[in-house]
Amino acid sequence: MDSSNQPPLPIIDLEAFTSASDTATRLEAGKQLVSACHDVGFVYIKNHGVSESELSRAFDVSKKWFDLPTDQKMKAPHPPGWAVHRGYSWPGLEKVSNLVSGPAADGGSDDEFIEKLRQVQDFKESYEVGSDQNPDQPNVWPPTDVLPEWQPCMSSFYSTCFEAGKKILQALALGLGLDENHLLDFHSGDYNQLRLLHYPPIPAAAIDEGKFARMPAHTDWSTITLLFQDDCGGLQVENVHKPGTFIDATPIPGTLVMNVGDLLMRWSNDHLKSTSHRVQLPPLQDRFTGASKKTRARYSIPYFLTTDPDLLIECLIADENHPPKYEPITQRDYAAMRARMQY
């Protein structure tokens, strides 16, 4: 892919928003963030509030988990079905899709189409963590002797990410012309999701031949996603100026990648953009050498902020010239509509 003529993703520094005391400075920072989310939907964020030491520990402990033998990881298995997102998902269990609902394009049933979609496996493994205050999705933790530091580390990092997310929600609200806490008031923090991801080494040919995908193009369902990635590379964002082409979201030290989710796009009456993205093979120079051309292992940590499930989401930006495009919906109903395609 030739990305030499493609625009880079914007970089937003939140230091002015988090440290300034005057309203004008904070408002300007919020407007810059909203402008980037309107134009592209993906941004790098500097001074996001997650310390390097906390981030490094989360990645270290994540690697320890995925290095465990499979029988140990299976002591905290992802529950069956699509309704609960907790615990360990082994390679091939999950199939990320950008579909919502509706009949198959070829006239077949939904179930037939979903089965066809799942024939190309996503070659990754993951572990889902939530709040212990979430009554709908209880955490699935491994026995303490499997990896003693796992539960305390990930519970702490979950809270750290929410603190960072709060500032971003406040900046977005100000930039949209709302009260600073308008978006935040819909997020107790009890319904967010922390995901630890590992993409094992895989021969490039297996992906090229269509047998496996790292993660195909999709959008996220939530309000916003915060993504921390290692230095491997592979994340690509669709170029909004040239649909169907993708921009490399090359890791930049000291930043996280933030993107708008489908729920926030709907909430903003499409003023903010939820942009398609995927995980491909890392650049050729980062693959293992040799006849097999295996990829490097890749680790990433996305954190999904979402509204409390039974609060009604209605278009925020709507007037005579911009009528609401969407009916009001709760996050619970929207997630159910999307999730049955995934597991």
Side-chain angles (χ1 to χ4, degrees):
M1 181 189 64
D2 180 12
S3 60
S4 58
N5 296 318
Q6 295 176 333
L9 300 180
I11 301 176
I12 302 295
D13 191 337
L14 275 192
E15 183 175 18
F17 180 83
T18 56
S19 62
S21 57
D22 63 290
T23 303
T25 300
R26 301 179 79 245
L27 178 59
E28 179 58 30
K31 286 182 176 179
Q32 289 178 8
L33 181 58
V34 165
S35 177
C37 291
H38 171 74
D39 295 339
V40 183
F42 262 80
V43 299
Y44 294 100
I45 294 185
K46 296 171 58 178
N47 293 305
H48 43 70
V50 178
S51 70
E52 282 298 317
S53 60
E54 288 178 286
L55 186 58
S56 178
R57 173 161 171 72
F59 271 106
D60 287 346
V61 175
S62 176
K63 186 176 186 304
K64 284 184 180 180
W65 169 264
F66 291 117
D67 282 346
L68 290 171
T70 299
D71 65 328
Q72 295 297 296
K73 291 183 285 191
M74 289 302 297
K75 292 182 178 181
H78 187 289
W82 54 262
V84 176
H85 302 279
R86 296 292 182 266
Y88 172 66
S89 296
W90 50 97
L93 174 66
E94 181 194 31
K95 177 66 189 178
V96 170
S97 152
N98 207 35
L99 300 176
V100 179
S101 64
D106 61 3
S109 70
D110 275 357
D111 289 341
E112 289 171 346
F113 185 59
I114 294 168
E115 182 59 31
K116 186 181 296 184
L117 179 73
R118 290 180 61 90
Q119 289 176 5
V120 179
Q121 295 184 10
D122 289 3
F123 196 72
K124 65 181 187 304
E125 54 183 341
S126 64
Y127 196 111
E128 318 287 346
V129 173
S131 166
D132 285 327
Q133 307 306 312
N134 185 336
D136 300 328
Q137 300 195 47
N139 273 311
V140 176
W141 297 114
T144 304
D145 61 351
V146 171
L147 187 62
E149 62 263 54
W150 181 253
Q151 181 173 348
C153 175
M154 295 310 162
S155 294
S156 175
F157 195 65
Y158 179 98
S159 298
T160 294
C161 290
F162 184 43
E163 290 303 313
K166 286 179 181 179
K167 298 298 183 185
I168 295 171
L169 289 175
Q170 289 175 320
L172 285 169
L174 277 184
L176 289 169
L178 305 169
D179 176 80
E180 179 175 322
N181 291 317
H182 186 95
L183 299 180
L184 183 55
D185 286 344
F186 284 75
H187 299 77
S188 67
D190 293 342
Y191 297 90
N192 300 336
Q193 181 180 333
L194 173 67
R195 166 176 280 194
L196 296 308
L197 274 165
H198 171 226
Y199 300 85
I202 182 174
I207 293 181
D208 294 339
E209 293 168 4
K211 296 177 181 177
F212 294 97
R214 278 210 143 173
M215 188 181 291
H218 66 285
T219 55
D220 294 341
W221 310 349
S222 51
T223 305
I224 59 174
T225 303
L226 314 182
L227 174 68
F228 305 93
Q229 51 181 336
D230 66 10
D231 64 354
C232 180
L235 175 65
Q236 295 180 335
V237 177
E238 188 169 22
N239 185 343
V240 296
H241 303 291
K242 297 180 181 178
T245 63
F246 285 79
I247 302 165
D248 289 322
T250 304
I252 299 177
T255 70
L256 61 78
V257 176
M258 188 277 282
N259 65 280
V260 174
D262 294 344
L263 197 64
L264 182 55
M265 184 171 76
R266 182 184 183 116
W267 203 355
S268 71
N269 208 22
D270 287 353
H271 183 74
L272 305 180
K273 189 182 301 294
S274 178
T275 306
S276 181
H277 52 286
R278 66 189 185 186
V279 178
Q280 296 290 90
L281 295 175
L284 183 60
Q285 65 270 21
D286 290 333
R287 301 180 194 174
F288 290 126
T289 57
S292 64
K293 287 190 175 178
K294 277 192 172 183
T295 65
R296 284 176 54 196
R298 179 179 185 265
Y299 298 86
S300 66
I301 305 177
Y303 184 83
F304 305 95
L305 281 88
T306 195
T307 60
D308 290 9
D310 297 313
L311 298 179
L312 198 63
I313 303 303
E314 303 178 84
C315 291
L316 290 168
I317 303 173
D319 53 35
E320 292 182 358
N321 297 321
H322 303 89
K325 297 181 179 180
Y326 305 100
E327 294 294 322
I329 195 170
T330 65
Q331 190 276 337
R332 188 185 301 279
D333 289 341
Y334 184 71
M337 184 170 62
R338 294 291 302 271
R340 69 177 290 265
M341 294 289 187
Q342 187 157 335
Y343 284 93

